[in-house]
């Protein structure tokens, strides 16, 4: 949605309005009371959106792919999606050096048999 405010020259502002509001951040969208009201509107709309998703899920005439997508979206909105986490660990160089030395020692010992 575009901002409905007007510039000083009378032209309509063409910036995107903040979510849940009809003005951009420059025309009042950054004000705490505007942000709070926008958040209230979004939360109120979320209930209606969830109800529509439930209707799609329960409608046997909806294609299975659409029903599955609605289930995923509903679970995502509820915060019930799988956690996507990547754990990265680094090894201390001294650990790597010790392991290389141990492997070389093992190789030398197996070569002398």
């Amino acid at each position: 949605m575009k901002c409905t405010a007007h510039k000083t020259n009378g032209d309509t502002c063409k910036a995107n309005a903040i979510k849940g509001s009809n003005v951009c951040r420059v025309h009042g969208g950054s004000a705490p009371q505007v942000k709070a009201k926008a958040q209230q509107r979004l939360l109120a709309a979320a209930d209606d959106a969830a109800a529509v998703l439930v209707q799609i899920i329960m409608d046997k005439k909806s294609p299975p792919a659409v029903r599955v997508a609605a289930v995923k979206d509903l679970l995502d909105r509820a915060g019930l999606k799988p956690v996507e986490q990547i754990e990265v660990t680094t090894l201390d160089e001294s650990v790597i050096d010790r392991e290389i030395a141990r492997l070389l020692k093992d190789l030398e010992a197996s070569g002398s048999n």
Side-chain angles (χ1 to χ4, degrees):
M1 175 177 196
K2 296 294 181 185
C3 179
T4 58
H6 291 84
K7 297 179 182 180
T8 54
N9 66 2
D11 292 344
T12 303
C13 177
K14 304 255 190 283
N16 289 325
I18 66 166
K19 291 180 183 176
S21 183
N22 60 350
V23 291
C24 67
R25 62 177 184 76
V26 173
H27 290 110
S30 292
Q33 68 275 16
V34 175
K35 287 181 176 181
K37 190 66 175 176
Q39 183 66 28
Q40 288 175 351
R41 284 189 204 101
L42 290 173
L43 290 173
D47 289 340
D48 293 338
V52 170
L53 289 173
V54 170
Q55 287 177 351
I56 292 169
I57 292 165
M58 301 306 288
D59 184 3
K60 304 289 185 206
K61 294 178 185 174
S62 293
V66 172
R67 293 174 72 196
V68 168
V71 168
K72 286 181 179 178
D73 193 36
L74 187 62
L75 292 173
D76 183 42
R77 289 171 188 265
L80 300 173
K81 64 180 182 175
V83 176
E84 296 177 17
Q85 186 175 1
I86 298 173
E87 187 175 324
V88 178
T89 59
T90 58
L91 293 175
D92 187 338
E93 285 186 35
S94 62
V95 173
I96 295 171
D97 291 341
R98 282 195 307 266
E99 189 61 23
I100 290 172
R102 186 189 65 77
L103 290 171
L104 289 174
K105 186 176 180 180
D106 289 348
L107 281 174
E108 289 174 1
S110 66
S112 61
N113 287 339

